[in-house]
Amino acid sequence: LFVMVMFATCCAAPQDLSGKVFVFPKESNTDRVRLLTSQTKFSSVTTCLRFKTDLTRNYGLFSLSTSAQSNDFVLFKINSEDVIRMHARGEATDFLSLSFAPNTWHSMCATWRSDNGLAQLWVDGKATIKRYIKAGPITGAPIITLGQKQSTHGGGFDAKQSFIGMITKVHLWDYVIPTAEIKRYMDDKHFISGNVFNWGALQYEITGQVLVDEE
C-alpha cells in the first residue's frame, strides 16, 4: 500500500518531461494518461501535441470530459486516413483532406473559441479552414485523458479506439494562442508554454501500461 501511495504521489507532482515521450505500446480499454488540473472553466481552448503511430483504424488522442458532457473537447482520428473529428461541448465537426503518414512524427494544434464556436486545426505546419462546432464555455471539473476517448465521464473506453504509439510535447491553454505562437510550436522553436498544461511541468497519472521513455 505504501508503494502504491508513493507512486500516485510521484505521478501527481509536476514533472519536467523535456526530451521524453508517453509510449502507448498495446491496444487496451484501460491504458491511459490522465492530465491533472484544478481549472473548471474554459472560455476557449488551444491544445498542441506531437504523436507517432502506425494505426490505420480510428483512435482517440485527447479527451476532455465533464459531468455535464462526456465530449466537452475531443480530438479523435476517425477510420479514414485523412480526417480528424473535433468535439466541443458535445457537438462535432470533421476536418478533411489531412495527411498522416504512418511511423512519422506529426504536430497538431487545435483551437476552439466559446464566443463564436469556431474551431481550427494546424497539422504539420498547415492550417485548416475554420469550422463551427458550438458556442458557450466549458464548465465543470474536467477529466482529461491521452490515448483513450471517454464515452462517459472518466470511463467508457473502447480498446478499438485506443491509441497505440507515442505522444509528446503536450500543452494546453485556456485561450486561443496567436498564430505566430502556433508556428513556433510547429517549428520546434521557443514558444509560450501552456498555462493549463505545460510539458516542462506536467501533472499526470498513468493507468495501465503506459511508459515514459526517451524521445
Side-chain angles (χ1 to χ4, degrees), residues 90-109:
E91 303 296 330
T93 191
D94 290 346
F95 290 91
L96 312 176
S97 301
L98 305 173
S99 178
F100 297 100
N103 292 311
T104 302
W105 281 107
H106 298 288
S107 297
M108 181 184 297
C109 290

Side-chain angles (χ1 to χ4, degrees), residues 45 63-74 87-91 112 137-140 142:
V45 172
S63 176
L64 186 159
S65 168
T66 64
S67 59
Q69 180 51 252
S70 59
N71 292 324
D72 248 335
F73 187 80
V74 176
H87 297 256
R89 300 194 62 231
E91 303 296 330
W112 167 79
I138 295 170
T139 58

Side-chain angles (χ1 to χ4, degrees), residues 7-18 22 32-39 62 142-146 170-172 194-207 212:
F7 177 76
T9 302
C10 172
C11 287
Q15 304 288 309
D16 183 357
L17 295 180
S18 300
F22 288 131
R32 63 192 183 276
V33 177
R34 179 175 176 180
L35 306 180
L36 305 176
T37 179
S38 60
Q39 186 138 340
F62 183 96
I143 294 177
I144 301 173
T145 60
L146 301 176
V170 181
H171 290 263
L172 180 71
N195 67 328
V196 180
F197 297 134
N198 172 6
W199 193 248
L202 193 69
Q203 290 184 277
Y204 66 93
E205 292 178 349
I206 288 175
T207 299
V212 178

Side-chain angles (χ1 to χ4, degrees), residues 113-133:
R113 294 176 50 175
S114 68
D115 59 345
N116 60 17
L118 288 180
Q120 187 174 31
L121 277 182
W122 288 74
V123 177
D124 297 338
K126 296 181 179 180
T128 67
I129 64 171
K130 295 181 179 182
R131 288 179 172 270
Y132 177 82
I133 304 181

Side-chain angles (χ1 to χ4, degrees), residues 54-84:
D54 60 4
L55 292 176
T56 56
R57 62 163 172 77
N58 54 2
Y59 51 84
L61 282 167
F62 183 96
S63 176
L64 186 159
S65 168
T66 64
S67 59
Q69 180 51 252
S70 59
N71 292 324
D72 248 335
F73 187 80
V74 176
L75 295 175
F76 186 71
K77 171 71 168 53
I78 65 174
N79 281 322
S80 173
E81 65 181 12
D82 59 357
V83 178
I84 290 287

